[in-house]
């Protein structure tokens, strides 16, 4: 839980510390609105203070009418129209430099689940690659996200890269993002989706394009330790009914793909660091760590078996 607490609203998840063009537009809009709103507030309060300090006197009907017309109708309407125009101009489909940009090469399908993320990479040439609970992106390249959900409405948001987009069952929403800075960030689910909504997040790793391609090729393959001792216990205790480990007989598609779970930044969709201890505790008590999780608890297994399975999974890099 400490990862969650420590990451709260720090830079890795701040829309005001953008690492991409979309988020920069959002941050700029925020600051323009703050400054414009602040100036208007100062003008209104200034006028109020000025009025209370004036000696009372009678104004002509004409002067009062002019004040209401300009101060009460024309000025606010003009200013709001200007700010609205600016906000509309920042919309992704309107901005000329976005409309003219190259189409995205990489497409990533993300599906909201209770309470985790199913991720499938579609590189421009090559077969799709499945993963879960973590999104890796090449820096400087436009990436198209195809967002949907299998159960209830979730919402996908990488604050440092751009605006949020709902994930709606039976519908695919599209969002294009381009990261400008390599680094490790965080994305939360931003639509209430059940008891563990607040425990549904993912890590975002923005890599140099060459590193990204090497990583993706690696993800497509089998993990080196896929034949560690815990593997047979993983199969024997039924874990393979719900989880995939590429290159083994584990082909269950209900839960997250665990093929390279040991190399991910987090465990349990953005909430725990990856270690044999955290993996063991998740196997034992998924319903305690993530209330409402659909994974059954395996606390009846012998501790030695849990430890062996955890060591096996931690080794899947
Ligand atoms: Cu998924 Cu909130």
């Amino acid at each position: 839980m400490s990862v969650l607490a420590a990451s709260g609203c720090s830079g890795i998840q701040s829309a005001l510390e953008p690492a991409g063009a979309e988020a920069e537009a959002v941050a700029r809009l925020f600051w323009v609105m703050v400054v414009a709103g602040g100036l208007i507030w100062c003008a209104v309060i200034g006028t109020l203070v000025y009025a209370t300090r004036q000696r009372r006197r009678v104004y002509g009907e004409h002067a009062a009418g002019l004040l209401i017309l300009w101060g009460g109708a024309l000025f606010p309407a003009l200013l709001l129209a200007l700010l609205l125009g600016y906000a509309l101009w920042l919309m992704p489909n309107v901005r000329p430099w976005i409309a003219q940009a190259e189409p995205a090469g990489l497409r990533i399908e993300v599906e909201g689940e209770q309470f985790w993320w199913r991720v499938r990479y579609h590189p421009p040439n090559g077969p799709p690659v499945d993963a879960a609970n973590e999104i890796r992106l090449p820096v400087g390249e436009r990436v198209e996200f195809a967002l949907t959900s299998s159960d209830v409405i979730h919402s996908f948001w990488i604050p440092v890269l751009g605006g949020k987009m709902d994930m709606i069952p039976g519908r695919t929403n599209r969002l294009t993002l381009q990261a400008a800075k390599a680094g490790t960030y965080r994305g939360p689910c931003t639509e209430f989706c059940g008891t563990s909504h607040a425990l549904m997040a993912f890590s975002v790793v923005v890599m140099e394009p060459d590193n990204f391609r090497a990583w993706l090729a690696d993800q497509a393959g089998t993990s080196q330790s896929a034949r560690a001792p815990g593997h047979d216990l993983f199969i024997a205790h039924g874990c393979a009914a719900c989880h995939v480990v590429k290159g083994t007989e584990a082909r269950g598609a209900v839960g997250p793909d665990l093929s390279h779970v040991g190399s991910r930044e987090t465990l349990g969709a953005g909430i725990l660091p990856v270690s044999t201890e955290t993996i063991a505790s998740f196997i034992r008590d998924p319903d305690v760590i993530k209330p409402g999780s659909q994974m059954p608890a395996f606390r009846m297994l012998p501790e030695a078996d849990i430890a062996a399975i955890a060591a096996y999974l931690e080794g899947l890099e």
Side-chain angles (χ1 to χ4, degrees):
M1 299 294 156
S2 57
V3 174
L4 181 68
S7 60
C9 279
S10 60
I12 58 166
Q13 195 185 298
S14 170
L16 298 181
E17 288 178 42
E22 291 298 316
E24 244 161 56
V26 174
R28 208 176 311 128
L29 179 65
F30 172 81
W31 288 114
V32 166
M33 291 292 178
V34 165
V35 171
L39 287 177
I40 294 167
W41 186 84
C42 288
V44 171
I45 297 300
T47 312
L48 183 73
V49 170
Y50 173 77
T52 57
R53 299 201 166 185
Q54 285 294 301
R55 207 162 38 82
R56 291 190 171 208
R57 60 191 163 95
V58 178
Y59 285 85
E61 219 171 272
H62 181 67
L66 273 183
L67 180 70
I68 290 170
L69 178 69
W70 281 97
L74 291 179
F75 174 70
L78 258 174
L79 199 78
L80 288 178
L82 263 177
L83 288 176
L84 177 68
Y86 176 65
L88 289 178
W89 177 70
L90 283 180
M91 301 259 288
N93 301 341
V94 176
R95 261 174 288 156
W97 65 91
I98 292 279
Q100 284 160 14
E102 296 271 299
L106 174 68
R107 200 162 62 84
I108 305 179
E109 254 176 89
V110 187
E111 194 173 347
E113 302 270 352
Q114 264 167 339
F115 301 90
W116 58 280
W117 315 81
R118 191 185 292 277
V119 183
R120 173 170 282 179
Y121 296 82
H122 292 273
N125 31 37
V129 179
D130 287 336
N133 297 333
E134 180 168 284
I135 286 168
R136 298 206 174 212
L137 303 169
V139 70
E141 289 179 23
R142 280 160 61 77
V143 175
E144 185 189 86
F145 289 91
L147 307 169
T148 188
S149 166
S150 64
D151 39 48
V152 297
I153 301 178
H154 303 267
S155 187
F156 178 88
W157 191 26
I158 308 176
V160 300
L161 295 187
K164 63 180 78 163
M165 179 76 79
D166 275 1
M167 310 173 96
I168 301 168
R171 197 194 142 82
T172 300
N173 282 336
R174 287 176 201 286
L175 176 71
T176 306
L177 297 173
Q178 180 169 349
K181 250 191 277 175
T184 302
Y185 309 105
R186 186 174 187 274
C189 176
T190 49
E191 180 79 39
F192 182 75
C193 53
T195 32
S196 280
H197 155 69
L199 299 174
M200 180 171 174
F202 56 95
S203 35
V204 181
V205 183
V206 178
M207 311 167 84
E208 293 304 328
D210 290 345
N211 295 349
F212 171 77
R213 275 176 257 290
W215 172 83
L216 193 61
D218 190 55
Q219 290 289 301
T222 313
S223 173
Q224 274 126 20
S225 81
R227 288 288 158 192
H231 166 78
D232 293 342
L233 289 165
F234 183 82
I235 302 294
H237 289 308
C239 311
C242 292
H243 296 285
V244 170
V245 177
K246 285 170 201 143
T248 75
E249 55 271 60
R251 292 201 193 100
V254 180
D257 185 309
L258 297 178
S259 303
H260 297 273
V261 65
S263 66
R264 290 184 196 145
E265 294 286 320
T266 63
L267 180 76
I271 57 172
L272 294 170
V274 181
S275 71
T276 45
E277 289 76 30
T278 55
I279 295 174
S281 62
F282 205 97
I283 295 170
R284 227 179 277 121
D285 299 306
D287 49 337
V288 173
I289 294 171
K290 190 166 266 206
S293 154
Q294 302 194 354
M295 173 166 160
F298 282 86
R299 54 182 85 93
M300 68 294 189
L301 295 188
E303 269 308 307
D305 288 12
I306 293 181
I309 294 172
Y312 161 62
L313 294 174
E314 207 261 331
L316 294 177
E317 292 196 339

